[in-house]
Amino acid sequence: MPRDLPDWTYDRRRELGDRIRDLRIRANLTQEVFAEMTGIDRRTVQRIERGTSDPPYSSLLLIAQALDVRVSTLVD
């Protein structure tokens, strides 16, 4: 059953996606290469970067490792 979340949670999810996309682009990685590096499906990477998906903590760990940053860098 879906639950309604406060609006600010959607804003933070978009901020997270923007941060991940910016770091990926700075690392000169395409979404395809990034998806291969993380083991996350490319469509899922797209949804995370658009802020339409809530990545689980395990995905954040994989993303942080691929971008050579701490998880806190992603979510701060």
Side-chain angles (χ1 to χ4, degrees):
M1 170 184 271
R3 60 186 167 148
D4 291 323
L5 297 172
D7 289 342
W8 65 266
T9 61
Y10 298 104
D11 295 338
R12 293 287 289 162
R13 196 164 59 187
R14 280 189 296 275
E15 290 170 11
L16 171 66
D18 289 344
R19 192 170 296 117
I20 290 169
R21 182 179 49 252
D22 291 345
L23 289 167
R24 175 183 60 77
I25 290 170
R26 275 192 237 165
N28 201 29
L29 299 170
T30 65
Q31 281 185 342
E32 292 80 14
V33 170
F34 186 62
E36 289 176 21
M37 290 174 68
T38 60
I40 299 170
D41 183 75
R42 185 183 56 80
R43 289 180 302 258
T44 302
V45 169
Q46 287 175 327
R47 287 190 295 270
I48 291 170
E49 288 187 355
R50 282 194 315 261
T52 60
S53 175
D54 279 323
Y57 185 69
S58 58
S59 293
L60 292 176
L61 290 171
L62 294 167
I63 289 168
Q65 181 180 21
L67 295 172
D68 195 29
V69 298
R70 298 172 57 95
V71 172
S72 61
T73 302
L74 300 176
V75 297
D76 191 27

